[in-house]
Amino acid sequence: MWQDLDIAVKKTAPEKRKEKPPQDALGFGDHFTDHMFLMKWNKENGWHDARICPYGNFSMDPAAMVYHYGQAIFEGLKAYKGDDGQIYMFRPEDNLERMNSSALRMCMPRLPVDNVLKGLKALVYLDRDWIPTVDGATLYIRPTMIGVEPALGVRPSSEYYFFIIMSPVGAYYAEGFSPTKIWVTDKYVRAVKGGVGHVKTAGNYAASIMAAEEAHKAGYTQVLWLDAIERKYVEEVGTSNIFFKIGDDLITPPLGGSILGGITRDSVIELAKSWGINVLERRISIDEVTAACEDGSLQEVFGTGTAAVISPVGELCYQEKKYTIAGGATGELSKKLFEELQAIQNGKTADPFKWITRIG
Ligand SMILES: *Cc1c(COP(=O)(O)O)cnc(C)c1O
């Protein structure tokens, strides 16, 4: 049983190790490290056959259920090399716990969090030379679980793979911390209460691509989603949570079943509260946002997520009307949150919330 799950280690032969890409042209998710973590689940044995092994292809039956009905969940987190040369991860237990809530909703097996965390740390340490050292670049970590039983009946798979792959990624703001332009859609919706909007599952992203493509064609970076019923209340932006600074309040939509509970969102709420900012988790309509923009009380808008940490918004386009936020410049609070979170993540400042895990 998984209580005493052993993790085997099979290292990639030195001559088979990949050449590392230049750090100034990493992009996002284009390169992968030399090793991965893999374990399997079936009804008889639970999680078993856990190993760290050379990064490589899976051979899978074309009837594997994930290809047909999309039982797939994932996570995204990062490892960093601090100025002190130490390796850090940001709130990794929270990612694994969130994956377990995703697993529950998708009728997939729970992960043994302690064992997986042990495996994850060992994997990061083994591939530590892949952690970029240039400012802002990090090692992105992608834990994933898929149903692999070869069968076409619509029901939970009786076999699963869980794996972790890792990719060195460039600084999100290679050209500086500058605001993005956001397209508000009332034509497409992302999620509805009772569905899987609060779950990090593959199908949500497949369903979102068309809206994102239309936004890109119109010259916008990301889509802002409204609630699926009234198409009125703000939900999320792209694959990030969203915050509005109106007057002295920092407002973010509440987690009501259609929004993904971001770990960055939670960190921003904690941090802002600790600075004495009035943080409100409440519904906010797009009309309230545009009215606040027009009367000047809307001071800042920003997205939060692991990839960018804080992503300031400089313009919203809603029903063909453009709204410029704070003159299109990065807000003071956005900048302060970004700098503080990055400093905590890189081990450069105190970590009062115990968010950091040191490896090695
Ligand atoms: C992952 C994700 C987020 C951000 O979550 P973090 O834990 O902060 O990275 C927000 N919204 C969606 C839809 C996501 O998939």
Side-chain angles (χ1 to χ4, degrees):
M1 280 307 283
W2 56 257
Q3 276 83 351
D4 38 58
L5 183 81
D6 283 326
I7 301 171
V9 179
K10 184 175 180 284
K11 290 189 190 173
T12 306
E15 69 277 11
K16 290 203 173 139
R17 298 203 179 177
K18 291 175 269 198
E19 205 179 305
K20 294 183 183 62
Q23 289 203 21
D24 55 358
L26 288 172
F28 183 85
D30 297 331
H31 309 276
F32 297 94
T33 69
D34 287 316
H35 297 89
M36 63 184 186
F37 178 92
L38 173 65
M39 65 179 181
K40 299 179 177 178
W41 189 94
N42 61 25
K43 283 194 168 143
E44 304 76 66
N45 303 308
W47 289 112
H48 63 281
D49 205 5
R51 66 189 113 131
I52 288 169
C53 55
Y55 184 96
N57 294 352
F58 294 137
S59 166
M60 218 170 279
D61 194 300
M65 289 174 101
V66 66
Y67 295 141
H68 305 274
Y69 309 125
Q71 251 188 322
I73 55 176
F74 66 91
E75 276 300 326
L77 68 157
K78 284 172 169 177
Y80 317 79
K81 220 172 249 176
D83 283 353
D84 55 4
Q86 299 276 359
I87 303 164
Y88 297 96
M89 282 192 292
F90 188 68
R91 306 184 66 173
E93 301 86 353
D94 294 293
N95 287 93
L96 298 177
E97 293 294 350
R98 183 170 69 189
M99 196 162 200
N100 272 344
S101 6
S102 296
L104 189 68
R105 177 62 179 82
M106 301 302 288
C107 301
M108 299 166 86
R110 280 179 62 83
L111 289 171
V113 169
D114 290 350
N115 287 284
V116 172
L117 192 57
K118 208 170 90 184
L120 171 57
K121 286 180 182 172
L123 179 66
V124 171
Y125 191 74
L126 182 59
D127 277 343
R128 63 191 176 278
D129 291 345
W130 283 86
I131 305 175
T133 47
V134 302
D135 208 26
T138 57
L139 186 67
Y140 184 79
I141 301 167
R142 170 55 61 88
T144 307
M145 194 197 299
I146 54 175
V148 299
E149 183 195 351
L152 294 182
V154 181
R155 56 173 170 77
S157 171
S158 66
E159 296 166 31
Y160 295 87
Y161 279 10
F162 169 80
F163 55 91
I164 304 173
I165 55 175
M166 306 195 296
S167 170
V169 299
Y172 202 85
Y173 297 104
E175 282 107 47
F177 187 56
S178 53
T180 53
K181 289 167 68 182
I182 302 295
W183 177 260
V184 183
T185 181
D186 52 10
K187 177 173 168 195
Y188 301 105
V189 295
R190 195 190 84 91
V192 65
K193 282 188 180 65
V196 292
H198 58 304
V199 179
K200 241 176 154 65
T201 187
N204 285 339
Y205 304 85
S208 75
I209 291 172
M210 191 166 198
E213 286 295 289
E214 289 187 12
H216 295 159
K217 275 197 205 108
Y220 289 78
T221 322
Q222 296 238 30
V223 173
L224 188 148
W225 304 98
L226 300 175
D227 79 279
I229 295 166
E230 296 178 67
R231 307 215 179 168
K232 180 175 169 188
Y233 294 100
V234 173
E235 300 238 305
E236 299 198 53
V237 54
T239 56
S240 303
N241 296 112
I242 190 158
F243 287 76
F244 301 91
K245 183 157 187 286
I246 300 181
D248 288 333
D249 296 334
L250 186 59
I251 304 163
T252 192
L255 302 178
S258 54
I259 294 175
L260 202 284
I263 292 163
T264 321
R265 174 187 181 277
D266 183 73
S267 308
V268 162
I269 292 173
E270 289 288 312
L271 200 54
K273 280 184 177 167
S274 79
W275 292 341
I277 294 168
N278 193 30
V279 184
L280 303 170
E281 292 177 70
R282 69 153 168 89
R283 297 227 286 177
I284 177 163
S285 69
I286 189 68
D287 295 332
E288 181 181 346
V289 172
T290 53
C293 188
E294 284 177 336
D295 73 19
S297 58
L298 179 64
Q299 295 166 5
E300 298 186 33
V301 180
F302 58 87
T304 65
T306 295
V309 188
I310 302 286
S311 174
V313 176
E315 182 188 317
L316 292 172
C317 182
Y318 175 55
Q319 294 183 336
E320 290 167 29
K321 199 166 163 196
K322 292 177 180 170
Y323 299 87
T324 302
I325 295 141
T330 297
E332 222 171 279
L333 181 61
S334 309
K335 193 156 173 279
K336 191 174 165 200
L337 283 165
F338 179 69
E339 282 169 359
E340 184 67 14
L341 279 170
Q342 271 221 323
I344 294 176
Q345 292 179 341
N346 290 321
K348 283 184 192 164
T349 188
D351 173 28
F353 304 98
K354 303 257 181 306
W355 284 336
I356 293 304
T357 295
R358 209 173 81 184
I359 303 172

